[in-house]
Amino acid sequence: MKKALAEARKAGAKGEVPVGAVLIKDDYIIARGHNQSISRCDPAGHAEIITLRKAGRKLMNYRLKGLTLYVTVEPCPMCLGAILQARIKRLVYGTNDKKQGAIVSRLAIPLKESNHQLEICSGILSQACSHLMSEFFQARRRMKKV
């Protein structure tokens, strides 16, 4: 998760919402990414999507079975869908997303009916992930007031 946090910090430094992701196979980093929706003018430029795309190209396969995805914030519905389509084995995320979270927060998409069973672990370095998001949006609100 520390590597995902480093990716999130990269996003924040670029003015992007600070979300980072790292995809692991057998303790080896396959791919990493951070939010780039603004800089790429891409509504799908989320950390998870970027990371999954990099991994697919690297492994020459759209199925990423047996891999673990670490992401700093609870995925949105689009990212959760991509994670399921890629057949990621395990999702580990840091903090919940009250506005767009698709696992336990806002939308809570039922995964039991899915044709793929995704293991989910949450709350890893939750305070650090949450603090990074809070700092970013507080700074953004201060900028708007000026």
Side-chain angles (χ1 to χ4, degrees), residues 22-128:
V22 176
L23 194 60
I24 306 289
K25 180 179 181 180
D26 302 324
D27 296 326
Y28 177 73
I29 295 175
I30 299 298
R32 62 179 84 206
H34 54 272
N35 274 6
Q36 296 179 50
S37 295
I38 298 166
S39 59
R40 290 185 176 188
C41 299
D42 179 4
H46 292 198
E48 301 94 324
I49 302 292
I50 288 169
T51 303
L52 294 174
R53 285 177 175 161
K54 285 180 180 179
R57 286 190 299 268
K58 183 173 185 175
L59 298 175
M60 300 294 294
N61 197 334
Y62 72 108
R63 296 286 193 222
L64 304 172
K65 293 181 179 183
L67 304 184
T68 298
L69 180 66
Y70 289 83
V71 63
T72 55
V73 178
E74 177 184 6
C76 72
M78 173 183 68
C79 292
L80 179 58
I83 290 164
L84 292 171
Q85 290 298 317
R87 303 297 194 262
I88 296 297
K89 179 181 179 181
R90 186 169 181 243
L91 169 66
V92 179
Y93 69 91
T95 191
N96 293 341
D97 182 349
K98 295 174 188 168
K99 293 189 177 185
Q100 292 294 321
I103 297 171
V104 297
S105 296
R106 174 115 177 148
L107 303 169
I109 295 171
L111 298 175
K112 291 178 184 166
E113 288 114 35
S114 172
N115 62 349
H116 172 65
Q117 293 305 307
L118 175 65
E119 297 171 27
I120 299 172
C121 178
S122 64
I124 307 303
L125 295 180
S126 177
Q127 286 184 331

